[in-house]
């Protein structure tokens, strides 16, 4: 019996429950049983303090202050163009790779400001990995080499068996091992879209980050592949802090413990409207704009 | 408002058109265009066949006299009517190779800079500069080479010979300045713009997600370029390099001016050197009898053959890169 089967059995036929209407509620009561901790004193992984992000003169994200809890899934929702991707890309300093992209404010990872002058963005990205909207495996590399592409960086010499172990571990963590263990030498492009996305997750995990950022990781995938990734995200939360941007509110409700709602202000800059426990935010939003959005009245 | 009313109450019945009202045979323009492009393609084929036939025809006398041995013959003596062209073949290949060794890293580096690093305001002017460099006539390069490059090369040669004279490549006469080294450098300068311009376009066409994917794994920009961008477009880059090589092989004017043009097998980087193209160009007017002319055309045929062979090898190389096995576990 392989690992995935175990998983399904332990969790009690997780996939069947997808179709049940009560699934959402069930998922959340489950979390609360797991974590008896009071939300307020949960350990914090990333603390965003007064973050602004600009494209040249245009401010896309305005004054965001938010604490992301460690080993929890935090979703970011909001209408198109409200700055979700921009905010996410500020968390691992990818925003500054865009033409004219710049930020101010603080982003603390374990009490260290990642925007401190002495901090190397490369070091930040090793601790805070990122999965993109469209699967982007490296086409000239095999599946194997794709997985360790990040791990091999700045290592002059790596033990072959260590490398193989790491590939297996990362692929198992990404629930991909059973599907690709016989084609490790094939091109990463030879996989299906969903497999490619899990390959990208595996290569991110192989670097052993603390946080994994995901920008609409399922938007290019079919429903079955989407469910697989959602399952995977739930599993990963035992080891990693995950921040996921999604357009899909059902998805946010299904996978996340905490939800952040952004909205464009009058100056077209994205602002934080509400942040709270996912269940509370979806069932009993504090802000009327949140309520309007989740009930589909705009956006 | 008035206009709208008129249309709405128009007494004309709505006209319905049939598919056959506009038969396919009425598409004159299409057919003329089709025949025109077909004719153009035919023209290209006829032209290149004529070229090959003419090369064979013109060199027939020399082919009959010297046979294939012409290629490894090392004597070129118009007085004794004996011809062989190995030194110019070697000269052409060595110079072109030297040019590639110098030009490829510079070109790809420049292309990476323009495509990825250069600030927006600099990108345009820089691209323009590179493109206009590619359009400079080769005789200008030759003049510049003769008056600026050759004296500098001469100083470098003397220094190299003084310090590393024991090294075979630096053992030649260091007095001329003109020679393999100068020719290689001038060729490198001439092919750099074209390789740069093409590589820049190729690098720019690599999806952003490739670079970002590598950066997000904690790569430096240099690592992201080396491990994500360059492998992604390696086939295109190989094509750009081959285009540059093609130009280097056939380049005549500048190389004639700074090569030194001595018909002898080269043994060091400092030796004066002749190449096939410059031999044809410089001797054609003094070729007084038919075997001489025929031999020069034979040189042209050999150059043509070498260009074809290199192009085929390049095709195979590109095919291997693109279809071959991807990264095997090391
Ligand atoms: N490269 C860029 N240059 C200039 N402006 C940009 C750039 N990328 C995004 N923007 C602007 O920044 C704002 C926020 O964009 P962002 O991509 O973060 O939105 P989003 O919430 O992720 O939207 P979506 O849900 O459609 O992905 C938008 O107004 C957008 O037009
Ligand atoms: Mg987005």
């Amino acid at each position: 019996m392989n690992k995935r089967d175990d998983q399904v059995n332990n969790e009690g036929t997780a996939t069947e429950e997808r179709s049940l209407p009560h699934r959402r509620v069930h998922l959340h009561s489950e979390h609360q049983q797991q974590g008896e901790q009071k939300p307020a004193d949960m350990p914090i992984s990333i603390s965003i303090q007064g973050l602004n992000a600009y494209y040249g003169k245009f401010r896309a994200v305005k004054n965001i202050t938010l604490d992301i809890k460690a080993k929890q899934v935090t979703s970011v929702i909001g209408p198109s163009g409200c700055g979700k991707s921009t905010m996410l890309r500020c968390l691992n300093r990818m925003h500054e790779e865009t033409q004219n992209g710049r930020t101010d404010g603080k982003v603390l990872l374990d009490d260290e400001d990642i925007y401190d002058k002495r901090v190397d963005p490369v070091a930040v990205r090793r601790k805070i990995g990122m999965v993109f909207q469209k699967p982007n495996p490296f086409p000239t590399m095999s599946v194997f080499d794709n997985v360790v592409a990040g791990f091999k960086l700045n290592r002059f010499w790596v033990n072959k068996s260590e490398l193989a172990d790491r590939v297996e571990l990362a692929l198992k963590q990404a629930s991909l091992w059973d599907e690709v263990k016989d084609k490790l030498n094939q091109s990463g492009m030879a996989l299906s879209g969903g497999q490619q996305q899990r390959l990208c997750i595996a290569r991110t995990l192989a670097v052993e980050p603390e946080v994994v950022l995901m920008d609409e990781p399922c938007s290019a995938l079919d429903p079955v592949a989407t469910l697989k990734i959602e399952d995977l995200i739930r599993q990963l939360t035992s080891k990693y802090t995950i921040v996921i941007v999604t357009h899909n509110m059902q998805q946010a409700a299904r996978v996340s413990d905490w939800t952040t709602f952004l909205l464009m202000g009058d100056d077209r800059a994205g602002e934080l409207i509400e942040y709270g426990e996912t269940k509370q935010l979806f069932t009993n939003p504090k802000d009327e704009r949140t309520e309007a959005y989740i009930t589909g009245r705009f956006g | 408002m008035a206009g709208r009313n008129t249309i709405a109450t128009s007494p004309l019945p709505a006209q319905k058109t049939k598919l056959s009202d506009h038969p396919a045979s009425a598409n004159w323009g299409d057919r003329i265009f089709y025949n025109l492009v077909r004719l153009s393609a035919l023209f290209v084929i006829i032209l290149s066949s004529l070229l090959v036939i003419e090369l064979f025809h013109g060199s027939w006398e020399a082919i009959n006299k010297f046979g294939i041995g012409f290629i490894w013959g090392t004597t070129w003596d118009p007085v004794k009517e004996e011809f062989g062209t190995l030194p110019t073949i070697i000269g052409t290949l060595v110079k072109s190779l030297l040019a590639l060794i110098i030009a490829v890293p510079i070109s790809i580096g420049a292309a990476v800079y323009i495509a990825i690093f250069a600030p927006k305001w600099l990108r345009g002017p820089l691209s323009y500069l590179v493109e206009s460099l590619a359009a400079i006539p080769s005789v200008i390069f030759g003049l510049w080479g003769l008056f600026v490059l050759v004296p500098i090369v001469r100083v470098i040669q003397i220094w190299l010979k003084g310090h590393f004279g024991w090294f075979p490549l630096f053992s030649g006469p260091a007095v001329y300045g003109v020679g393999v080294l100068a020719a290689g450098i001038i060729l490198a300068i001439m092919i750099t713009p074209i390789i740069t311009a093409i590589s820049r376009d190729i690098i720019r066409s690599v999806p952003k997600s490739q670079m970002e994917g590598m950066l997000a794994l904690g790569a430096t920009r240099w690592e992201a370029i080396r491990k994500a961008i360059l492998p992604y477009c390696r086939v295109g880059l190989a094509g750009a390099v081959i285009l540059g090589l093609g130009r280097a092989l056939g380049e005549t004017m500048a190389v004639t001016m700074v090569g030194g043009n001595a018909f002898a097998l080269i043994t060091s980087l400092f030796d004066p050197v002749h190449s096939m193209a410059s031999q044809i160009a410089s001797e054609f007017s003094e070729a007084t009898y038919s075997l001489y002319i025929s031999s020069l055309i034979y040189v042209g045929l050999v150059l043509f053959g070498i260009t074809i062979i290199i192009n085929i090898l390049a095709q195979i190389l590109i095919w291997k890169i693109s279809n071959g096995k991807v990264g095997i576990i090391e």
Side-chain angles (χ1 to χ4, degrees):
Chain A
M1 186 181 279
N2 62 36
K3 193 174 174 256
R4 237 195 105 66
D5 291 337
D6 279 340
Q7 194 62 51
V8 171
N9 287 347
N10 290 347
E11 282 189 359
T13 53
T15 22
E16 273 171 38
E17 273 169 350
R18 294 273 176 226
S19 50
L20 296 176
H22 310 299
R23 164 138 179 88
R24 217 172 87 183
V25 179
H26 171 81
L27 228 174
H28 286 283
S29 54
E30 187 183 72
H31 293 327
Q32 270 161 5
Q33 280 158 16
Q34 284 172 359
E36 280 302 322
Q37 239 170 334
K38 280 268 173 280
D41 48 33
M42 278 189 118
I44 291 162
S45 171
I46 294 183
S47 175
I48 307 169
Q49 301 178 355
L51 178 75
N52 291 292
Y54 305 82
Y55 293 100
K57 288 206 172 72
F58 172 64
R59 173 150 74 170
V61 165
K62 183 174 169 184
N63 201 17
I64 289 189
T65 297
L66 169 68
D67 284 341
I68 290 166
K69 310 273 192 282
K71 304 206 172 158
Q72 297 275 297
V73 180
T74 303
S75 63
V76 181
I77 60 168
S80 187
C82 70
K84 305 182 293 293
S85 301
T86 309
M87 186 197 96
L88 196 74
R89 290 165 61 89
C90 289
L91 303 187
N92 68 342
R93 296 191 60 172
M94 282 304 279
H95 181 60
E96 65 204 58
E97 295 297 329
T98 322
Q99 267 302 316
N100 297 325
R102 92 200 138 77
T103 53
D104 58 49
K106 279 186 180 172
V107 176
L108 307 184
L109 174 71
D110 305 330
D111 296 325
E112 240 186 318
D113 186 6
I114 64 169
Y115 282 100
D116 190 293
K117 279 207 169 57
R118 287 162 302 176
V119 170
D120 184 357
V122 168
V124 172
R125 294 177 198 138
R126 285 177 179 274
K127 286 196 162 188
I128 308 180
M130 184 166 217
V131 176
F132 296 83
Q133 182 166 1
K134 252 183 84 188
N136 57 348
F138 304 120
T140 57
M141 294 183 194
S142 63
V143 170
F144 187 100
D145 288 335
N146 258 287
V147 175
V148 284
F151 176 74
K152 279 206 289 196
L153 291 169
N154 82 8
R155 279 180 177 79
F156 291 110
W157 187 82
V158 265
N159 188 317
K160 262 187 222 167
S161 67
E162 189 198 338
L163 215 54
D165 289 347
R166 190 161 286 262
V167 167
E168 183 170 346
L169 182 71
L171 285 172
K172 278 182 174 163
Q173 282 186 330
S175 316
L176 190 59
W177 174 251
D178 292 323
E179 290 161 65
V180 301
K181 63 174 182 241
D182 302 321
K183 27 180 162 174
L184 293 178
N185 285 333
Q186 286 178 25
S187 164
M189 300 308 281
L191 305 179
S192 74
Q195 288 172 331
Q196 286 184 18
Q197 193 63 301
R198 276 178 284 148
L199 179 64
C200 293
I201 293 175
R203 82 178 176 203
T204 305
L205 300 181
V207 186
E208 298 191 316
E210 289 176 26
V211 183
V212 179
L213 309 174
M214 300 184 173
D215 191 355
E216 304 189 36
C218 305
S219 64
L221 307 180
D222 63 77
V224 176
T226 299
L227 284 185
K228 274 199 175 151
I229 303 244
E230 287 180 8
D231 267 345
L232 173 59
I233 291 172
R234 287 302 334 161
Q235 288 168 36
L236 291 177
T237 188
S238 62
K239 256 191 98 181
Y240 303 93
T241 303
I242 293 170
V243 185
I244 175 174
V245 168
T246 174
H247 251 130
N248 180 333
M249 278 182 280
Q250 282 73 37
Q251 183 171 66
R254 280 196 300 263
V255 303
S256 70
D257 307 287
W258 302 83
T259 298
T260 309
F261 175 56
L262 301 186
L263 200 57
M264 226 189 273
D266 294 333
D267 52 356
R268 289 181 54 231
E271 293 171 57
L272 179 76
I273 301 299
E274 187 167 349
Y275 167 64
E277 223 198 319
T278 298
K279 191 179 157 201
Q280 172 263 316
L281 191 135
F282 276 97
T283 53
N284 186 19
K286 292 194 185 103
D287 195 295
E288 58 194 19
R289 288 167 293 181
T290 314
E291 186 174 359
Y293 182 69
I294 59 178
T295 53
R297 268 186 274 145
F298 70 87
Chain B
M1 277 315 264
R4 226 179 247 175
N5 280 338
T6 347
I7 290 171
T9 58
S10 166
L12 288 172
Q15 259 191 342
K16 208 171 172 187
T17 57
K18 275 196 196 154
L19 288 176
S20 52
D21 285 351
H22 192 79
S25 57
N27 273 334
W28 281 107
D30 243 22
R31 275 200 271 164
I32 291 173
F33 181 71
Y34 170 73
N35 283 311
L36 222 61
V37 288
R38 193 164 61 165
L39 214 67
S40 314
L42 210 66
F43 182 71
V44 172
I45 294 169
I46 291 171
L47 200 69
S48 41
S49 335
L50 275 179
L51 191 78
V52 175
I53 291 169
E54 188 48 41
L55 275 175
F56 270 105
H57 176 75
S59 59
W60 197 244
E61 196 182 341
I63 293 175
N64 269 335
K65 181 113 196 270
F66 306 115
I68 193 87
F70 184 78
I71 293 174
W72 52 84
T74 53
T75 333
W76 186 271
D77 193 338
V79 181
K80 288 190 191 145
E81 305 197 2
E82 207 184 319
F83 300 102
T85 197
L86 186 65
T88 62
I89 296 178
I90 305 274
T92 304
L93 293 179
V94 169
K95 270 187 302 196
S96 305
L97 210 70
L98 186 63
L100 278 192
I101 291 170
I102 300 170
V104 167
I106 295 175
S107 308
I108 293 187
V112 163
Y113 180 75
I114 298 174
I116 298 172
F117 292 107
K120 235 181 190 154
W121 59 268
L122 192 61
R123 217 170 266 180
L126 220 54
S127 292
Y128 179 76
L129 206 70
V130 168
E131 266 143 34
S132 42
L133 225 58
I136 293 178
S138 94
V139 64
I140 310 261
F141 278 105
L143 279 175
W144 178 84
L146 213 51
F147 291 118
V148 181
L149 182 68
V150 167
I152 297 173
V153 167
R154 197 163 160 267
V155 173
I156 297 173
Q157 281 182 347
I158 291 169
W159 185 85
L160 277 175
K161 197 174 163 71
H163 291 78
F164 304 99
W166 48 268
F167 192 62
L169 279 180
F170 303 145
S171 62
V175 288
Y176 308 122
V178 294
V180 185
L181 188 59
I185 293 174
I186 203 87
L187 274 179
I189 294 171
M190 293 177 71
I191 63 176
T192 295
I194 186 158
I195 303 181
T196 306
I198 299 170
S199 309
R200 173 204 59 196
D201 293 343
I202 289 164
I203 291 171
R204 211 185 276 166
S205 70
V206 177
K208 254 202 154 84
S209 62
Q210 288 290 315
M211 174 101 173
E212 292 194 334
M214 206 38 116
L215 286 175
L217 291 174
T220 60
R221 281 175 155 212
W222 159 238
E223 285 170 325
I225 288 165
R226 196 162 50 94
K227 301 204 161 167
I229 295 205
L230 295 184
Y232 189 94
C233 57
R234 57 193 180 175
V235 177
L237 293 179
V241 170
I242 285 151
L243 228 76
L245 178 61
R247 177 150 187 211
L249 286 174
E251 174 48 41
T252 314
M253 203 58 218
V255 163
T256 312
M257 290 164 85
V258 304
N261 306 339
F263 188 89
L265 280 172
I266 47 170
T267 53
S268 89
L269 279 181
F270 303 161
D271 286 340
V273 64
H274 221 344
S275 64
M276 293 188 263
S278 40
Q279 182 168 46
I280 299 168
S282 58
E283 289 184 28
F284 215 86
S285 54
E286 22 184 287
T288 41
Y289 51 94
S290 69
L291 182 63
Y292 197 174
I293 295 175
S294 179
S295 296
L296 284 172
I297 298 176
Y298 196 178
V299 174
L301 184 67
V302 173
L303 178 58
F304 183 77
I306 288 179
T307 315
I308 299 265
I309 289 171
I310 287 184
N311 266 308
I312 290 172
L313 287 180
Q315 285 300 324
I316 292 172
L317 178 85
I318 289 175
W319 178 77
K320 276 217 156 171
I321 299 175
S322 55
N323 279 350
K325 269 191 169 177
V326 288
I328 300 156
I329 304 169
E330 306 135 282

